[in-house]
Amino acid sequence: LYIGGTRDVPFGFDFHGDVFKMNASTGAITSYVSVVHPTITITPGFNEVRTMCSAPNGNLYYCTLDTVGSVSSALTINYGQPSGYHYPYYLPYSNTGGGQGSNSCRATMQYLYTTDGQTLDKRDINTGNALTTVTIPGGSANNNSGVAIDTCGNVYVGSQSSVVKYDANLNMITSATTPAAVYDVSIGINGDVLACGNNFAVALAMSACPQIR
C-alpha cells in the first residue's frame, strides 16, 4: 500500500512531503522517501503530497503543493520539478479548514494528466513536462477536482458544475451537468461516469470505456 502525505522532521518546524510504503496487513510503515522539490514557492517548511496515482508501468506519480514527480515502487525518485500549481491545504479552498484530499492526477503508459481545478495538463510521463494545457469550462483553481481515464484514452475531469470529457489529446468531446462542484470522478459500469461533490453523488451517461487500471 502506497500513501502520499506529510512527515514531521523531529526538532524542527519542517513538514516534508513524503511517499510511504506500508504493510497492508499490519499498517506498519516499511519505508518512505521525501519528494519535496528544493525550490519551495509556498510557506517555508510545508510541502505535503496532495494527490498521487499509480500507472500501468508500475511507477507512482504525485503532486505536492508545487511539484510534480514520480517514484518507483521501490521508492526511488525518478524525477521532480515545479508543476506550475499552488495547491492549498484544503479542497475546496478555505482559510478555516474542513477540507479533504484531492483526486488530481491519473496516468497511462505514455502520459500523466494533472489538474488544479482550473486547468488540465497532459504531461510527458518520463519527465513531467506539460505537453498540452487546456482551461476546464467552469473550472475554478483549487475549488473542484477529480480526473479519470478510460481504456479508449478519454479523460474525464470535474468542474464547478459538470464533468467534462476530452480525448487523449485534450480535445473536448462533451460534458454532463452536475448539481454542484465536483470533487471526485471515477468510471462505473455500462459507460457511466461516477461523480461526487458538494452534497451529491451521481452516475452520468457519458459512453465511457472501462477505467484504466
Side-chain angles (χ1 to χ4, degrees), residues 136-137 145-148 155-166 172 174-178 180 182-186 193-196 200 202 204 206:
I136 301 168
S145 183
V147 60
V155 184
Y156 304 81
V157 65
S159 78
Q160 286 286 288
S161 58
S162 67
V163 172
V164 185
K165 180 179 181 179
Y166 296 90
M172 183 176 169
T174 188
S175 65
T177 302
T178 58
V182 177
Y183 298 156
D184 203 356
V185 176
S186 186
V193 172
L194 309 178
C196 63
F200 76 88
V202 294
L204 306 168
M206 300 187 74

Side-chain angles (χ1 to χ4, degrees), residues 72-90:
S72 70
S73 59
L75 299 190
T76 300
I77 294 178
N78 296 322
Y79 63 82
Q81 65 161 302
S83 63
Y85 301 152
H86 298 284
Y87 289 118
Y89 281 93
Y90 306 109

Side-chain angles (χ1 to χ4, degrees), residues 56-145:
N57 62 13
N59 290 325
L60 304 168
Y61 296 85
Y62 64 85
C63 290
T64 70
L65 301 189
D66 63 359
T67 302
V68 60
S70 171
V71 297
S72 70
S73 59
L75 299 190
T76 300
I77 294 178
N78 296 322
Y79 63 82
Q81 65 161 302
S83 63
Y85 301 152
H86 298 284
Y87 289 118
Y89 281 93
Y90 306 109
L91 175 73
Y93 176 71
S94 169
N95 290 319
T96 59
Q100 59 192 10
S102 173
N103 168 22
S104 302
C105 66
R106 283 289 182 266
T108 66
M109 284 293 290
Q110 295 83 23
Y111 303 111
L112 173 66
Y113 295 88
T114 63
T115 178
D116 66 351
Q118 179 171 285
T119 60
L120 175 64
D121 288 286
K122 173 185 175 182
R123 299 177 183 270
D124 185 328
I125 200 168
N126 297 307
T127 65
N129 293 332
L131 304 174
T132 306
T133 301
V134 295
T135 299
I136 301 168
S140 176
N142 305 315
N143 283 300
N144 48 262
S145 183

